[in-house]
Amino acid sequence: MNSTLIYNTGQKSKTKLLSEFVIRLKEYKKIFDDLESSKMDKPEQNYIITGIRGMGKTMLLQRIKYGILDSKKLNNWLIPIAFNEELYNVYDLSDLWIHIAEILQLNHPKYSGLQERMVSASYNETERDVFKILINELKDKKNKLVLLIDNFDDLLNKLKDNEIKRLRSILITTKELRVIAATSNVIEETYKYEEPLYEFFSYIRLKELSQRDTIKLIQRLGENYDDSFRTNEIIKNENYRIDSLRRLSGGNPRTIVLLFEILRGEKSGDTLHYLNEILDRNVTALYKSKMDNLSPQHQRIVSAIAQAWDAVSVKEISKTTRLPSKTISAQLNQLVD
């Protein structure tokens, strides 16, 4: 097993991804049942999948893509557009529509030339005109799109306020496309009352793995890597360590995969040794990224809570940070949101 299989799950082959997809089945079924029951003869519900890095968001999006492609009920009219995790070439809505056309052309020859027409229009016409070319082409070919957008927060951060309002207007009025997005960060535009996307999406939160799902994942990994004997040995003899580390890591699937890799490669080791290995390979970077995304004041408060170790009161945080209790209470509410 190498790092590509752990971190770049969107690059897994279809066979490998389907074989390893043994968790997040409930969330997949909820979304896919909706897709199969929707004719998209009206604007449909859009989704945002949330969870910290490594919780399985990218794999879930890819599983939805393959589900659509394999569905006889859907694949003759519904096209999944799966974006890369980083959309470095998208800076505004026109770029987004043109990038969709590029993906369409790569996978469906009947859309050949669409991207070039839209690029040409973008030089002299408005974003609305570029979008109209895309929609008219979809109507002509009798297709509809599901946009599977990873790191949705990154895309929204690039768009201007008026473009976000425009995107909302499109999703409310257009029957030809719907969005299933994923994000590891809180999107202010979706929970602040004054923002255009307030309560616009249906949220699906990926929670920590249960003990049962953790064992199921480890067993499947053992089967896929022809190491079932060693895997069963690990589950039998080191189950208490697995569950301790599952709890400490917040039931993060990526961390469990890393633990599986460590356990396979080492015949013995104590729980603290395994924990240090996991911290070094994954968790340190994960939580550094999480802290870096917070404001300086939020960082100060979270640091005080973490270093207290036990549960801590607002009064105690105030004493440590030298911030007024009223300020801390307001900031804690924001952190919860």
Side-chain angles (χ1 to χ4, degrees), residues 186 191 298 329-337:
V186 174
Y191 78 85
H298 282 168
S329 295
Q331 298 292 339
L332 287 173
N333 287 330
Q334 286 186 22
L335 284 164
V336 169
D337 287 338

Side-chain angles (χ1 to χ4, degrees), residues 64-79:
I64 292 167
K65 179 184 82 171
Y66 292 129
I68 294 169
L69 293 175
D70 291 341
S71 171
K72 293 180 180 179
K73 192 173 182 179
L74 299 175
N75 62 20
N76 63 332
W77 63 272
L78 186 61
I79 299 176

Side-chain angles (χ1 to χ4, degrees), residues 56-158:
K57 302 182 298 297
T58 302
M59 278 194 74
L60 179 53
L61 289 177
Q62 291 294 313
R63 182 64 184 90
I64 292 167
K65 179 184 82 171
Y66 292 129
I68 294 169
L69 293 175
D70 291 341
S71 171
K72 293 180 180 179
K73 192 173 182 179
L74 299 175
N75 62 20
N76 63 332
W77 63 272
L78 186 61
I79 299 176
I81 301 292
F83 295 90
N84 292 329
E85 289 187 53
E86 290 79 24
L87 291 175
Y88 296 125
N89 59 331
V90 174
Y91 297 94
D92 56 27
L93 278 182
S94 288
D95 284 339
L96 180 63
W97 311 138
I98 290 169
H99 187 52
I100 290 170
E102 180 184 7
I103 297 171
L104 274 172
Q105 285 187 180
L106 285 172
N107 296 285
H108 303 275
K110 64 182 178 179
Y111 286 97
S112 178
L114 176 60
Q115 181 188 10
E116 290 75 11
R117 285 165 49 207
M118 292 171 65
V119 169
S120 179
S122 70
Y123 289 119
N124 303 309
E125 301 181 51
T126 67
E127 173 271 323
R128 291 174 183 269
D129 296 311
V130 174
F131 180 70
K132 190 175 180 180
I133 293 172
L134 173 64
I135 293 301
N136 286 342
E137 193 74 9
L138 290 170
K139 289 178 178 178
D140 182 61
K141 302 289 192 296
K142 294 182 172 54
N143 287 133
K144 297 179 187 291
L145 305 181
V146 172
L147 308 183
L148 304 170
I149 309 176
D150 214 343
N151 295 324
F152 189 51
D153 52 313
D154 288 346
L155 173 62
L156 292 182
N157 287 337
K158 293 179 181 181

Side-chain angles (χ1 to χ4, degrees), residues 259-311:
L259 174 62
F260 170 75
E261 185 181 38
I262 294 165
L263 290 170
R264 283 178 68 219
E266 301 184 20
K267 297 299 180 185
S268 64
D270 60 31
T271 307
L272 186 59
H273 166 72
Y274 293 144
L275 177 60
N276 282 328
E277 284 281 313
I278 290 169
L279 287 171
D280 182 61
R281 298 191 195 192
N282 183 47
V283 181
T284 299
L286 171 66
Y287 287 101
K288 184 182 186 307
S289 169
K290 199 74 175 170
M291 287 292 285
D292 288 346
N293 285 329
L294 298 176
S295 70
Q297 201 167 70
H298 282 168
Q299 289 178 2
R300 196 172 171 186
I301 292 169
V302 171
S303 177
I305 294 170
Q307 292 185 54
W309 187 257
D310 294 317

